[in-house]
Amino acid sequence: FVVIRPSKKAFNLLVNTYLNAPFHKYWGWGNKGYALYPGAMTTKGLLTYVYNEFKYDNKIELNRCIYNNMADVPFIRVENGSEQCRDVKEHKRDPETNQQIPCTDCRQQPVEQVVVGNLAVCRPPWLCQFNPKQVREADALCEGYYKDWYTNRKSFESRQENQPQDPNPTGAFHPAIFQGYCRAEGQYIPLTSLLLKNKAQ
């Protein structure tokens, strides 16, 4: 999640960094720890590296638990098998015990406080996947994302002029979460099928 103002000078810096900065699969750009997350080798990692290391005063870092919350585990495993906080700035040890200080766990963020949610870990809601026997720490947040997504879908349908809608979808797969739009696991009721059904009637 990034908002930028176009700048030829910044663009040239990015190109030069991309062409010349070293990249390590475990330690990322410039061996600074920007690695092991989706996009680390491309735009996400490059921008993070450049604006943290070279243009620190030209950016404002947003809280990753509020903006672009992925509901991902708060740490990663590095080359030697040890754990490192996903946010490299949090990778600190207690000076007395030498133990890793707990990383910020964005999975614990209340969904109503999330401004931008990322479904990369939760997976798309239209896959209709939920297994209560495999409870994960991210499930509560993922369920909140699903509910919000289906609420928005319902709102979108209700605003379509001269378009038939099904006011009470009857999908029985965890209706409290999927709000009637999933018949069973993997059986999503798409908007187009509702429109075709109502047109046929």
Side-chain angles (χ1 to χ4, degrees):
F1 183 86
V2 60
V3 179
I4 58 176
R5 177 184 297 169
S7 162
K8 189 171 183 179
K9 184 177 179 180
F11 175 76
N12 290 335
L13 173 62
L14 288 170
V15 171
N16 184 64
T17 303
Y18 177 79
L19 293 175
N20 296 290
F23 180 87
H24 188 278
K25 67 177 180 179
Y26 288 110
W27 296 106
W29 293 99
N31 297 316
K32 294 290 186 177
Y34 307 107
L36 299 178
Y37 57 86
M41 192 176 183
T42 54
T43 306
K44 290 181 184 178
L46 181 65
L47 287 173
T48 304
Y49 170 61
V50 168
Y51 279 87
N52 273 350
E53 301 297 329
F54 305 115
K55 295 177 70 65
Y56 189 83
D57 294 332
N58 292 84
K59 55 94 177 177
I60 298 175
E61 185 172 349
L62 302 177
N63 187 322
R64 66 181 294 268
C65 295
I66 297 176
Y67 297 90
N68 201 43
N69 189 326
M70 296 179 64
D72 49 359
V73 295
F75 57 84
I76 54 178
R77 293 194 182 278
V78 294
E79 191 170 17
N80 61 7
S82 62
E83 293 180 354
Q84 172 183 302
C85 288
R86 224 170 248 288
D87 185 340
V88 69
K89 297 186 299 301
E90 291 186 344
H91 189 56
K92 300 175 182 177
R93 293 189 174 275
D94 187 305
E96 296 183 2
T97 65
N98 198 36
Q99 296 295 311
Q100 167 69 46
I101 296 174
C103 313
T104 301
D105 191 346
C106 292
R107 297 171 298 181
Q108 306 303 317
Q109 187 77 14
V111 68
E112 60 271 12
Q113 295 178 10
V114 176
V115 176
V116 179
N118 187 317
L119 293 166
V121 173
C122 297
R123 308 198 69 187
W126 54 87
L127 295 181
C128 298
Q129 293 183 339
F130 179 73
N131 187 347
K133 294 181 180 180
Q134 296 178 349
V135 177
R136 304 173 306 163
E137 291 185 55
D139 281 349
L141 190 56
C142 291
E143 287 179 28
Y145 288 170
Y146 294 161
K147 289 177 183 177
D148 284 349
W149 192 87
Y150 281 106
T151 296
N152 286 329
R153 171 183 161 161
K154 227 172 221 184
S155 175
F156 169 78
E157 290 182 38
S158 68
R159 295 196 306 270
Q160 303 310 300
E161 295 183 5
N162 303 318
Q163 292 288 349
Q165 297 111 30
D166 188 339
N168 297 299
T170 57
F173 185 69
H174 298 286
I177 299 173
F178 299 106
Q179 300 186 33
Y181 290 110
C182 294
R183 297 187 183 92
E185 184 170 4
Q187 295 184 24
Y188 172 63
I189 303 174
L191 177 62
T192 52
S193 69
L194 293 178
L195 296 179
L196 290 173
K197 171 186 169 185
N198 287 320
K199 284 181 179 178
Q201 293 175 348

